[in-house]
Amino acid sequence: KQEVTQIPAALSVPEGENLVLNCSFTDSAIYNLQWFRQDPGKGLTSLLLIQSSQREQTSGRLNASLDKSSGRSTLYIAASQPGDSATYLCAVYPNAGGTSYGKLTFGQGTILTVHP
Amino acid sequence: DTEVTQTPKHLVMGMTNKKSLKCEQHMGHRAMYWYKQKAKKPPELMFVYSYEKLSINESVPSRFSPECPNSSLLNLHLHALQPEDSALYLCASSLRANYGYTFGSGTRLTVV
């Protein structure tokens, strides 16, 4: 059974710092990996989707890398801002076939607070 | 249109009521999902529809009944819920199963 772990569970930093959020998964036979952001009481906003053949994706101040062989993904946030405060979730997609096809496995999330 | 729209945003219902949650997307996605999220926990999958057919039911109690009338619309019918069913219910869609989810903003359900 796939298990996804996110470290740290919570992070509080001053504005302007560069951040690294970590995601590890136990079964390296994954298809895609997706990072989401969730504001309190709201839905999930997709940040980056790393497809099966990719190792990295970038969007603005965000960069996510994926190393399937070691079961790790990293989300890098440059020059953090108070508006980045949210819970960040990583989710892995199973490989094609099998009864779990289409079922995301989420980590527990990292709660990020960026203070001015 | 790049959104998944969920209605209502908030719902309070009694344990004997019948209500429905609605989810709509116009992105041409052919897979749609219902998730349940309790406070401070990640979302948990309830149902997966692929090409309007139910492909995954995560052993959800029968008081939750999904329906996919067409490729753009997904409903979740609720009946005789329990207070522990209070949660944020999230709908998502993707071009096809197992590829790039887009989530809606959710329905906050309170069962009294």
Side-chain angles (χ1 to χ4, degrees):
Chain A
K1 179 186 172 187
Q2 178 73 270
E3 291 183 3
V4 180
T5 303
Q6 291 188 241
I7 294 172
L11 186 60
S12 180
V13 299
E15 182 176 6
E17 280 205 3
N18 300 325
L19 309 173
V20 175
L21 308 183
N22 296 293
C23 172
S24 61
F25 41 94
T26 54
D27 184 352
S28 61
I30 67 167
Y31 189 57
N32 298 332
L33 185 144
Q34 194 164 2
W35 283 92
F36 294 93
R37 166 193 172 133
Q38 187 173 30
D39 295 297
K42 306 293 186 184
L44 276 66
T45 300
S46 178
L47 298 174
L48 293 165
L49 170 68
I50 309 178
Q51 297 181 47
S52 57
S53 59
Q54 299 173 326
R55 290 190 165 228
E56 193 173 6
Q57 277 288 337
T58 298
S59 176
R61 295 183 293 108
L62 304 180
N63 174 275
S65 64
L66 174 61
D67 183 346
K68 286 186 183 180
S69 61
S70 66
R72 294 177 186 274
S73 177
T74 298
L75 178 66
Y76 178 80
I77 303 175
S80 58
Q81 303 171 356
D84 295 330
S85 299
T87 297
Y88 290 79
L89 293 157
C90 76
V92 300
Y93 291 71
N95 263 337
T99 57
S100 294
Y101 191 65
K103 178 180 176 181
L104 291 186
T105 301
F106 284 90
Q108 294 292 317
T110 293
I111 302 171
L112 173 64
T113 304
V114 181
H115 46 88
Chain B
D1 188 352
T2 58
E3 289 187 345
V4 173
T5 303
Q6 289 188 244
T7 54
K9 293 194 183 306
H10 301 276
L11 179 63
V12 179
M13 61 185 291
M15 289 188 284
T16 58
N17 291 158
K18 286 186 180 180
K19 297 286 185 183
S20 296
L21 309 185
K22 179 180 172 182
C23 173
E24 200 162 4
Q25 57 86 16
H26 297 286
M27 296 179 280
H29 289 178
R30 301 310 300 271
M32 296 187 76
Y33 314 83
W34 281 115
Y35 277 78
K36 173 182 176 179
Q37 187 177 27
K38 302 284 275 185
K40 301 189 187 302
K41 297 289 188 183
E44 296 176 354
L45 180 66
M46 300 175 73
F47 303 104
V48 178
Y49 274 85
S50 181
Y51 291 87
E52 295 104 72
K53 287 186 171 27
L54 183 66
S55 61
I56 294 179
N57 176 342
E58 288 287 283
S59 302
V60 178
S62 60
R63 57 186 184 268
F64 295 91
S65 175
E67 179 196 21
C68 189
N70 58 58
S71 61
S72 299
L73 189 56
L74 185 66
N75 298 318
L76 186 63
H77 303 297
L78 314 172
H79 173 55
L81 294 192
Q82 303 297 310
E84 59 264 29
D85 296 322
S86 298
L88 181 67
Y89 287 84
L90 295 164
C91 174
S93 70
S94 61
L95 187 63
R96 56 183 185 275
N98 225 43
Y99 183 84
Y101 281 35
T102 300
F103 278 84
S105 58
T107 294
R108 173 69 62 188
L109 174 67
T110 303
V111 181
V112 297

